Amino acid sequence: MCRKTCRHWDPTLPVIYVITPTYARPVQKAELTRLSHTLMLVTNLHWIVVEDAVRKSSLVESLLMRTALNYTHLNAPTPDIHKRKASVRGVEQRNTAIKWLRNNKNSEVDNGVVYFADDDNSYTLEVFEEMRKTIEVSVWPVGLVGGLMVEKPLLNTTTGRVIGWNSAWRPDRPFPIDMAGFAVNLGHLLRHPKVEFLFNISGGFQESVFLQQLTTTERLEPKADNCTKVLVWHTRTESPKLTEENKLRKLGKQSDKGMEI
Ligand SMILES: *[C@@H]1O[C@H](CO)[C@@H](O)[C@H](O)[C@H]1NC(C)=O
């Protein structure tokens, strides 16, 4: 969108397509604001924001317009039959973004990498530069996830290839890695036209089922200094206590009347 006016654009570098599913909740604007400020510092970044909603919201629309980012704003409501399951949050939205890439990008000419970035994680700028040169699928450690301080790939020190994982929670997962811990080359994804996220998969297996369609453990490209650095954290935002607000609403009042929070 702002391709020409973006402050950070270098036509010789691969584009990072950051896919962020998002949904309406009290902290949504705060989360997206914080994430956008990180992304605005990254060269050649295209943000694909997909709302879990029947219609695009003006909150997200105006936030995106205010950023100096190259972006695409989409919406895709989670089908009703899947709505109550936390394990499928983001599935429909990520697939919608992948579909947009398949319809709008060409594996022969578009040089890029795809990264799934939830709106509540914490990202260093370095993680984007690490993933930028991904040939097929790259991986790195993620902090504060899987019940551990860090969940990470284990490498063979001679070959430098991934040989396993340190995960403690469901270590039987084929790729016991968080969504924030890998990136996929755009052309590689487009050359696998059927690959998508699936409903009816138990919690924690989304990443595994997705990556199994794209790679094998041996082929993974370890980043972040041979997976010795944490460049992204799976932080979770506490839900704000709105007990007083709820009391107000019962009286037909609200603290945020006429304001977008
Ligand atoms: C990573 O490991 C490989 C193989 O052991 C080694 O050749 C390379 O120098 C290491 N790279 C970094 C950045 O530590």
Side-chain angles (χ1 to χ4, degrees), residues 4-41:
K4 289 183 197 69
T5 53
C6 276
R7 269 170 290 174
H8 307 284
W9 199 270
D10 176 348
T12 65
L13 282 179
V15 177
I16 299 173
Y17 295 92
V18 172
I19 295 174
T20 301
T22 187
Y23 63 100
R25 62 206 192 277
V27 299
Q28 184 183 29
K29 188 177 181 183
E31 303 280 41
L32 290 174
T33 298
R34 192 161 55 97
L35 176 54
S36 73
H37 290 173
T38 302
L39 302 183
M40 282 158 76
L41 298 170

Coordinates of all heavy atoms in Angstrom, one line a residue, residues 4-41:
K4 N 5.8 2.9 -2.0 CA 6.6 4.0 -2.4 C 7.0 4.9 -1.3 O 8.1 5.5 -1.3 CB 6.0 4.8 -3.6 CG 5.9 4.0 -4.8 CD 5.3 4.8 -6.0 CE 4.9 3.9 -7.1 NZ 3.7 3.1 -6.8
T5 N 6.1 5.1 -0.4 CA 6.3 6.1 0.7 C 6.8 5.5 2.0 O 7.2 6.2 2.9 CB 5.0 6.9 1.0 OG1 4.0 5.9 1.2 CG2 4.6 7.8 -0.2
C6 N 6.8 4.2 2.1 CA 7.3 3.5 3.3 C 8.8 4.0 3.5 O 9.6 4.1 2.6 CB 7.3 2.0 3.1 SG 5.8 1.3 3.5
R7 N 9.0 4.3 4.8 CA 10.4 4.8 5.1 C 11.4 3.7 4.8 O 12.6 3.9 4.5 CB 10.4 5.2 6.5 CG 10.1 6.7 6.6 CD 9.9 7.1 8.1 NE 8.7 6.5 8.6 CZ 8.4 6.6 9.9 NH1 9.2 7.1 10.8 NH2 7.2 6.1 10.3
H8 N 11.0 2.4 5.0 CA 12.0 1.3 5.0 C 11.7 0.4 3.8 O 10.9 -0.5 4.0 CB 12.0 0.5 6.3 CG 12.1 1.4 7.5 ND1 13.4 1.9 7.9 CD2 11.3 1.8 8.4 CE1 13.2 2.6 9.0 NE2 12.0 2.5 9.4
W9 N 12.2 0.7 2.6 CA 12.0 -0.2 1.5 C 13.2 -0.3 0.7 O 13.7 0.7 0.2 CB 10.8 0.3 0.7 CG 10.3 -0.8 -0.2 CD1 10.7 -1.2 -1.4 CD2 9.3 -1.8 0.2 NE1 10.1 -2.3 -1.8 CE2 9.2 -2.7 -0.8 CE3 8.6 -2.0 1.4 CZ2 8.4 -3.9 -0.8 CZ3 7.7 -3.1 1.4 CH2 7.6 -4.0 0.4
D10 N 13.7 -1.5 0.5 CA 14.9 -1.8 -0.3 C 14.5 -2.9 -1.3 O 14.3 -4.0 -0.9 CB 16.0 -2.2 0.6 CG 17.3 -2.6 -0.1 OD1 17.2 -2.8 -1.4 OD2 18.3 -2.9 0.5
P11 N 14.4 -2.5 -2.6 CA 13.9 -3.5 -3.6 C 14.8 -4.7 -3.7 O 14.4 -5.7 -4.3 CB 13.8 -2.6 -4.9 CG 14.6 -1.4 -4.6 CD 14.6 -1.2 -3.1
T12 N 16.0 -4.6 -3.2 CA 16.9 -5.8 -3.4 C 16.7 -6.8 -2.3 O 17.2 -7.9 -2.4 CB 18.4 -5.3 -3.4 OG1 18.7 -4.8 -2.1 CG2 18.6 -4.3 -4.4
L13 N 16.0 -6.5 -1.2 CA 15.8 -7.4 -0.1 C 14.5 -8.2 -0.2 O 13.5 -7.6 -0.6 CB 15.8 -6.6 1.2 CG 17.2 -6.2 1.7 CD1 17.0 -5.4 3.0 CD2 18.1 -7.4 1.9
P14 N 14.4 -9.4 0.3 CA 13.2 -10.1 0.4 C 12.2 -9.4 1.3 O 12.6 -8.7 2.3 CB 13.5 -11.5 1.0 CG 15.0 -11.6 0.9 CD 15.6 -10.2 0.8
V15 N 10.9 -9.5 1.0 CA 9.8 -8.9 1.8 C 9.4 -9.9 2.9 O 9.2 -11.1 2.6 CB 8.6 -8.6 0.9 CG1 7.5 -8.0 1.7 CG2 9.1 -7.6 -0.3
I16 N 9.2 -9.3 4.1 CA 8.7 -10.2 5.1 C 7.2 -10.0 5.2 O 6.7 -8.8 5.5 CB 9.3 -9.9 6.5 CG1 10.9 -10.2 6.4 CG2 8.7 -10.7 7.6 CD1 11.6 -9.7 7.6
Y17 N 6.4 -11.0 5.0 CA 4.9 -10.9 5.1 C 4.6 -11.4 6.5 O 4.7 -12.6 6.8 CB 4.3 -11.8 4.0 CG 4.5 -11.3 2.6 CD1 5.6 -11.7 1.9 CD2 3.7 -10.3 2.1 CE1 5.9 -11.2 0.6 CE2 4.0 -9.7 0.8 CZ 5.1 -10.2 0.1 OH 5.4 -9.7 -1.1
V18 N 4.2 -10.5 7.3 CA 3.8 -10.8 8.7 C 2.3 -11.0 8.7 O 1.5 -10.0 8.4 CB 4.3 -9.7 9.6 CG1 3.7 -10.0 11.0 CG2 5.8 -9.6 9.7
I19 N 1.8 -12.2 9.1 CA 0.4 -12.5 9.2 C -0.1 -12.4 10.6 O 0.4 -13.2 11.5 CB 0.1 -13.9 8.6 CG1 0.5 -13.8 7.1 CG2 -1.3 -14.3 8.8 CD1 0.4 -15.2 6.4
T20 N -1.0 -11.5 10.9 CA -1.5 -11.4 12.3 C -3.0 -11.5 12.3 O -3.7 -10.7 11.8 CB -1.1 -10.0 12.8 OG1 0.3 -9.8 12.8 CG2 -1.6 -9.8 14.3
P21 N -3.4 -12.6 13.0 CA -4.9 -12.8 13.2 C -5.2 -11.9 14.4 O -4.4 -11.8 15.4 CB -5.1 -14.3 13.6 CG -3.7 -14.9 13.5 CD -2.7 -13.8 13.5
T22 N -6.4 -11.3 14.4 CA -6.7 -10.5 15.6 C -8.3 -10.5 15.8 O -9.0 -10.9 14.9 CB -6.2 -9.0 15.4 OG1 -6.5 -8.3 16.6 CG2 -6.9 -8.3 14.3
Y23 N -8.7 -10.3 17.0 CA -10.1 -10.3 17.3 C -10.4 -9.2 18.3 O -9.6 -8.8 19.1 CB -10.6 -11.7 17.8 CG -10.0 -12.1 19.1 CD1 -10.7 -12.0 20.3 CD2 -8.7 -12.6 19.2 CE1 -10.1 -12.4 21.5 CE2 -8.1 -13.0 20.4 CZ -8.8 -12.9 21.5 OH -8.3 -13.3 22.7
A24 N -11.7 -8.7 18.3 CA -12.1 -7.6 19.1 C -12.1 -8.0 20.6 O -12.6 -9.1 21.0 CB -13.5 -7.2 18.7
R25 N -11.5 -7.2 21.4 CA -11.4 -7.4 22.9 C -10.9 -6.1 23.5 O -10.3 -5.3 22.7 CB -10.6 -8.6 23.3 CG -9.1 -8.5 22.8 CD -8.5 -9.9 22.6 NE -7.0 -9.9 22.5 CZ -6.4 -9.7 21.4 NH1 -7.0 -9.3 20.3 NH2 -5.1 -9.7 21.4
P26 N -11.0 -5.9 24.8 CA -10.6 -4.6 25.4 C -9.2 -4.2 25.1 O -8.9 -3.1 24.9 CB -10.8 -4.8 26.9 CG -12.0 -5.8 26.9 CD -11.7 -6.8 25.8
V27 N -8.2 -5.2 25.0 CA -6.8 -4.9 24.8 C -6.4 -4.8 23.3 O -5.2 -4.6 23.0 CB -5.9 -5.8 25.5 CG1 -6.1 -5.8 27.1 CG2 -6.0 -7.3 25.0
Q28 N -7.4 -5.0 22.4 CA -7.0 -5.2 21.0 C -6.2 -4.0 20.4 O -5.1 -4.2 19.8 CB -8.2 -5.4 20.1 CG -7.8 -5.7 18.7 CD -9.1 -5.8 17.8 OE1 -10.1 -5.2 18.0 NE2 -8.9 -6.6 16.7
K29 N -6.6 -2.8 20.7 CA -6.0 -1.6 20.1 C -4.6 -1.4 20.7 O -3.6 -1.1 20.0 CB -6.8 -0.4 20.3 CG -6.3 0.9 19.6 CD -7.2 2.1 19.8 CE -6.7 3.3 19.0 NZ -7.6 4.4 19.3
A30 N -4.5 -1.7 22.0 CA -3.2 -1.6 22.7 C -2.2 -2.6 22.1 O -1.0 -2.2 21.8 CB -3.3 -1.8 24.2
E31 N -2.6 -3.8 21.9 CA -1.8 -4.8 21.4 C -1.3 -4.5 20.0 O -0.1 -4.6 19.6 CB -2.5 -6.2 21.3 CG -3.0 -6.7 22.6 CD -2.0 -7.3 23.5 OE1 -0.8 -6.8 23.6 OE2 -2.3 -8.3 24.1
L32 N -2.3 -4.1 19.1 CA -1.9 -3.8 17.7 C -1.1 -2.6 17.6 O -0.2 -2.5 16.7 CB -3.2 -3.7 16.9 CG -4.0 -5.0 16.7 CD1 -5.3 -4.7 16.0 CD2 -3.2 -6.0 15.8
T33 N -1.3 -1.6 18.5 CA -0.5 -0.4 18.5 C 1.0 -0.8 18.8 O 1.9 -0.4 18.1 CB -1.0 0.6 19.5 OG1 -2.3 0.9 19.1 CG2 -0.1 1.8 19.6
R34 N 1.2 -1.6 19.8 CA 2.5 -2.0 20.2 C 3.2 -2.8 19.1 O 4.4 -2.5 18.8 CB 2.4 -2.9 21.5 CG 3.6 -3.2 22.2 CD 3.3 -3.6 23.7 NE 2.4 -4.7 23.7 CZ 2.8 -6.0 23.8 NH1 4.0 -6.3 23.9 NH2 1.9 -7.0 23.8
L35 N 2.5 -3.7 18.6 CA 3.1 -4.5 17.5 C 3.4 -3.7 16.3 O 4.5 -3.8 15.7 CB 2.1 -5.7 17.1 CG 2.6 -6.6 15.9 CD1 4.0 -7.2 16.1 CD2 1.5 -7.7 15.7
S36 N 2.5 -2.8 15.9 CA 2.7 -1.9 14.7 C 4.0 -1.1 14.9 O 4.7 -0.9 14.0 CB 1.5 -1.0 14.4 OG 1.4 0.0 15.4
H37 N 4.3 -0.7 16.1 CA 5.5 0.2 16.4 C 6.7 -0.6 16.2 O 7.8 -0.1 15.8 CB 5.4 0.8 17.8 CG 4.3 1.9 17.8 ND1 4.0 2.5 19.0 CD2 3.5 2.4 16.9 CE1 3.0 3.3 18.8 NE2 2.7 3.3 17.5
T38 N 6.7 -1.9 16.5 CA 7.8 -2.8 16.2 C 8.0 -2.9 14.7 O 9.1 -2.7 14.1 CB 7.7 -4.2 16.8 OG1 7.5 -4.0 18.3 CG2 8.9 -5.1 16.6
L39 N 6.9 -3.3 14.0 CA 6.9 -3.6 12.6 C 7.4 -2.4 11.8 O 8.0 -2.5 10.7 CB 5.6 -4.1 12.1 CG 5.1 -5.4 12.8 CD1 3.7 -5.8 12.2 CD2 6.1 -6.5 12.8
M40 N 7.0 -1.2 12.3 CA 7.4 0.0 11.5 C 8.9 0.3 11.4 O 9.4 1.1 10.6 CB 6.7 1.3 12.2 CG 5.2 1.4 11.8 SD 4.3 2.4 13.0 CE 4.8 4.0 12.6
L41 N 9.6 -0.5 12.3 CA 11.1 -0.3 12.3 C 11.8 -1.3 11.4 O 13.0 -1.3 11.3 CB 11.6 -0.4 13.7 CG 11.1 0.6 14.7 CD1 11.5 0.2 16.1 CD2 11.7 2.0 14.3

